[in-house]
Amino acid sequence: MSAIDDLTRELRRLPGIGAKTALRLAFHMIKGPREDMRRLAGALTDVAERIHPCPRCGNYCSADVCSVCRDPSRDRSVICVVEEAYEVGAIERTGQYGGLFHVLGGRLSPLDGVGPGQLDIEGLLDRVSNQEEKPKEVILATNASVEGEATAVYLETLLRPHDLRITRLARGIPVGSDLEYVDGTTIAEALAGRRRVGGGRA
């Protein structure tokens, strides 16, 4: 197998990249300046060697603890639970949230073989059980999809005994959409209008 085949095969492993797109990307790289390819290879190597999940929240970082968790100005009484690490950035860009995060690493999807054991649910339960840093509120910011809603309902069941305010983002976010693709204003409004799970306003 040639180097081009190897590159194409690896590109096909990326989300949304099919065989034809992978081949076009491969030849685009080959036709471009060699220095561009070296920079890309260097960036990938750097990420592979330096980036890891934050041991507290699951967000990706290069330090021992991510910048959010080590920021003393963050409101530690609130934890916002998201499915994926890139959704932390979507919420941060609104400038309307100053609490902490917890990244699940996905959402419940039995058809895809993703159950509770594949998500960092135990880490979340450990955080809400910690009497020294116990939050007062947990915001369930899973996506407005069937799987996201199922994940939120499951988490609510587990969190209910911990004497917390459990809230869900308001319905300003369209059903079926991912936070990554929602504009900052809509996310900010959803945060402001979040509702208490089980009825009532936050």
Side-chain angles (χ1 to χ4, degrees):
M1 184 174 288
S2 71
I4 295 176
D5 291 333
D6 289 341
L7 176 58
T8 303
R9 185 185 67 251
E10 294 304 315
L11 289 171
R12 286 185 63 185
R13 296 173 60 185
L14 297 174
I17 302 297
K20 291 182 179 179
T21 301
L23 192 60
R24 284 198 297 268
L25 287 172
F27 277 100
H28 173 77
M29 294 177 188
I30 293 168
K31 288 171 62 178
R34 287 294 184 264
E35 186 56 34
D36 288 353
M37 293 186 70
R38 293 189 184 96
R39 279 199 300 269
L40 175 60
L44 290 171
T45 299
D46 194 36
V47 167
E49 294 178 350
R50 297 181 56 212
I51 302 301
H52 59 86
C54 173
R56 295 183 186 175
C57 72
N59 191 17
Y60 288 115
C61 61
S62 58
D64 292 339
V65 178
C66 77
S67 59
V68 172
C69 287
R70 68 172 182 264
D71 184 349
S73 69
R74 305 294 296 208
D75 182 356
R76 299 182 180 277
S77 69
V78 186
I79 294 178
C80 182
V81 180
V82 296
E83 295 176 12
E84 300 289 356
Y86 51 74
E87 292 166 343
V88 171
I91 293 176
E92 284 290 273
R93 285 191 293 273
T94 69
Q96 300 298 310
Y97 178 71
L100 301 178
F101 290 94
H102 187 84
V103 180
L104 294 172
R107 55 192 170 194
L108 294 176
S109 181
L111 293 178
D112 296 321
V114 181
Q118 282 71 53
L119 306 179
D120 187 19
I121 295 175
E122 287 300 319
L124 175 62
L125 295 179
D126 287 344
R127 295 178 74 181
V128 301
S129 300
N130 186 335
Q131 294 303 316
E132 294 183 0
E133 298 184 2
K134 184 180 178 69
K136 296 179 180 178
E137 179 183 0
V138 172
I139 304 172
L140 300 177
T142 53
N143 288 304
S145 62
V146 173
E147 295 85 357
E149 290 293 335
T151 303
V153 170
Y154 181 76
L155 292 176
E156 178 198 349
T157 302
L158 297 179
L159 293 169
R160 183 62 63 191
H162 290 273
D163 190 28
L164 297 163
R165 171 177 288 177
I166 306 170
T167 56
R168 190 88 169 92
L169 293 186
R171 286 295 187 178
I173 296 178
V175 174
S177 62
D178 288 351
L179 287 179
E180 179 187 10
Y181 304 110
V182 178
D183 65 275
T185 300
T186 300
I187 294 177
E189 291 175 351
L191 279 168
R194 62 186 182 274
R195 55 184 171 79
R196 186 191 298 271
V197 173
R201 302 286 290 184

